[in-house]
Amino acid sequence: MFNLANPPAGFIENPFPHYDDLLQNSPVTPQPDGSFLITKHADLNAIYRDTTLYISDKKQAFAPKFGEGSPLFEHHTTSLVFNDPPLHTRVRRIMTGALTPKALARMEPGLIATVDTLLDEMPQAPDLIENFASTIPIQIIGNLLDIPMQERAPLRDWSLAILGALEPTLTQDQLAGGHRAVSEFKSYLQDLIARRRRAPGDPDTDVLTRLITGDASGQLTEIELIQNCIFILNAGHETTTNLIGNGLALLHDHPDQKALLLSDFTHIDTAVEEVLRLRSPNQFGNRETTAKVSIGGQEIAPQTNLHLCIGAANRDPEVFDRPTEFDITRRPNRHLAFAGGPHVCVGLTLARMEGRIAIERFLRRYPNYTLSEQRTAGGRIRFHGYTALPARLCSA
């Protein structure tokens, strides 16, 4: 039986054949720790939309994993993604107000300038993760929170360490690194928030000022404010890095699809959606049952942790024609890369915009790029991407 905490050899690098097997033979798989692995698109979609039987609160699961009261426990039980109403509703409403279509339109010229500067400065033998994909979301989220440019250097490492602690199993070094990252980031934000209170920014463009100010329902507590600033970085950093890196890798590995896109960039939006489907940057979500439920004929007890396998659901043959093929013109494309229901990713439009602009402008500048065989998989189960993507560039 498939065990997510001890997956078979090669799973991290290429989980997709295992997903296909689970979809066909065991779409609801009990795990040794009493949790269940869910893979079918219809099941995930139903779970995401039912906030009565399935909740996002993870205090019960995270207390033994991180230690109750520890830095990681405080962060992951206070941030938006692992909370339910009323906190989720309040924080999400404040964030959504800063990511309106009008606000995103104002951000687009700055995003284009950031991407073009990276392309101008890119060496002929770059690492497309280090020199491109990972830098874009750090700068965009830094701009959202109006973090001074000279203070952004630690953000990527903090984010990787905190998100890495969500893996099914952790070493002591990974656990300690995650706790340290939360503590250091928290200390930095306490100082940044104090500065912003003294000199507020424009709440239409500065999400930190908006979070500090609150809305008609009130203000966030200091801990809620700090931990959701950390969440904004984490939610938009590694996932967007993976979207851009996975997109450039898929297009390189499917030259017919790259040629189609180069011949007609009106396909860029559907191309981004297909990258999100076939190589979902975030492979897993989680919910906890509040009552006895039945999924796929399995009776599941209350307070049971469910691992929602987005990466498998997005290959479900009951939903997607030719699900293992990369087709940049695919329509419809009802993928769950951004989850669904009330917890659908609050930054999904921004992520799509980053992916669209980054991939299109890279291809226009370097249409004949090649990737080295030394590309390095991300080494994570929950998040799927690359830590290194060495390339050679050629503009013509």
Side-chain angles (χ1 to χ4, degrees):
M1 184 176 294
F2 183 89
N3 181 359
L4 188 61
N6 185 26
F11 174 81
I12 291 176
E13 293 76 18
N14 184 18
F16 304 106
H18 301 281
Y19 292 164
D20 296 340
D21 180 66
L22 287 167
L23 280 165
Q24 182 175 352
N25 298 308
S26 184
V28 180
T29 306
Q31 299 292 287
D33 64 357
S35 62
F36 282 80
L37 175 61
I38 316 294
T39 55
K40 290 197 72 63
H41 187 284
D43 291 334
L44 265 69
N45 196 39
I47 291 167
Y48 278 134
R49 295 175 190 284
D50 187 334
T51 57
T52 301
L53 291 177
Y54 308 99
I55 59 172
S56 299
D57 187 291
K58 296 281 286 180
K59 294 182 181 67
Q60 177 179 282
F62 285 162
K65 181 171 185 175
F66 299 138
E68 195 164 355
S70 70
L72 281 169
F73 180 84
E74 180 185 272
H75 170 65
H76 285 305
T77 59
T78 309
S79 69
L80 184 69
V81 70
F82 293 124
N83 265 285
D84 298 297
L87 176 62
H88 177 269
T89 306
R90 238 176 353 122
V91 177
R92 187 183 179 91
R93 184 168 55 239
I94 295 169
M95 288 185 187
T96 301
L99 295 172
T100 62
K102 183 178 178 181
L104 291 172
R106 285 197 300 264
M107 290 172 58
E108 187 162 343
L111 172 57
I112 291 171
T114 295
V115 170
D116 286 349
T117 297
L118 292 172
L119 293 173
D120 290 340
E121 298 174 351
M122 194 172 289
Q124 278 300 300
D127 175 348
L128 296 183
I129 302 302
E130 179 180 351
N131 299 121
F132 191 60
S134 69
T135 303
I136 295 166
I138 287 292
Q139 298 307 333
I140 297 308
I141 295 162
N143 293 344
L144 273 178
L145 296 174
D146 198 16
I147 296 173
M149 192 68 68
Q150 67 274 16
E151 297 175 10
R152 297 181 184 183
L155 297 180
R156 174 167 164 75
D157 287 342
W158 284 338
S159 177
L160 290 173
I162 295 167
L163 287 177
L166 292 174
E167 288 292 280
T169 56
L170 298 175
T171 67
Q172 285 302 309
D173 285 347
Q174 288 171 323
L175 187 62
H179 287 315
R180 186 167 56 252
V182 173
S183 297
E184 291 175 0
F185 202 172
K186 182 177 174 181
S187 178
Y188 169 74
L189 284 169
Q190 286 170 326
D191 176 66
L192 182 67
I193 289 165
R195 284 183 274 158
R196 197 61 48 83
R197 289 188 192 279
R198 292 193 296 269
D202 179 354
D204 287 337
T205 57
D206 176 5
V207 174
L208 179 54
T209 294
R210 196 178 191 93
L211 289 170
I212 291 170
T213 304
D215 64 8
S217 66
Q219 292 180 308
L220 301 177
T221 68
E222 193 77 359
I223 292 301
E224 291 169 349
L225 174 60
I226 289 169
Q227 299 300 354
N228 281 289
C229 286
I230 296 176
F231 162 75
I232 289 171
L233 170 68
N234 291 346
H237 165 243
E238 187 167 6
T239 50
T240 305
T241 298
N242 290 349
L243 167 58
I244 298 168
N246 292 347
L248 294 176
L250 279 168
L251 288 164
H252 173 273
D253 296 343
H254 295 81
D256 60 324
Q257 297 297 297
K258 187 180 81 166
L260 176 59
L261 185 55
L262 287 169
S263 70
D264 185 358
F265 275 105
T266 63
H267 295 307
I268 186 62
D269 289 329
T270 51
V272 168
E273 296 306 307
E274 182 68 342
V275 174
L276 287 163
R277 181 193 73 85
L278 194 62
R279 294 289 185 272
S280 305
N282 180 16
Q283 294 280 298
F284 285 89
N286 291 90
R287 290 294 184 272
E288 184 178 298
T289 59
T290 61
K292 184 179 179 181
V293 298
S294 177
I295 304 175
Q298 292 264 15
E299 297 297 319
I300 299 176
Q303 297 186 307
T304 298
N305 186 31
L306 306 179
H307 309 282
L308 308 182
C309 189
I310 296 166
N314 285 344
R315 298 165 67 90
D316 191 335
E318 293 184 8
V319 177
F320 303 99
D321 184 37
R322 300 170 289 107
T324 64
E325 294 183 21
F326 180 55
D327 176 6
I328 67 166
T329 66
R330 185 182 296 274
R331 288 181 188 272
N333 193 341
R334 300 191 302 275
H335 65 75
L336 295 172
F338 293 117
H343 272 272
V344 68
C345 175
V346 69
L348 81 172
T349 306
L350 176 58
R352 284 173 165 139
M353 185 171 78
E354 290 180 78
R356 169 176 56 82
I357 290 172
I359 292 171
E360 178 174 345
R361 297 186 84 81
F362 180 91
L363 286 175
R364 288 186 184 276
R365 186 80 65 95
Y366 301 113
N368 298 318
Y369 70 101
T370 59
L371 297 181
S372 161
E373 293 181 2
Q374 273 65 55
R375 64 180 87 174
T376 305
R380 299 186 192 267
I381 290 175
R382 189 180 182 98
F383 299 97
H384 183 77
Y386 297 92
T387 56
L389 208 56
R392 295 290 301 181
L393 301 182
C394 182
S395 57

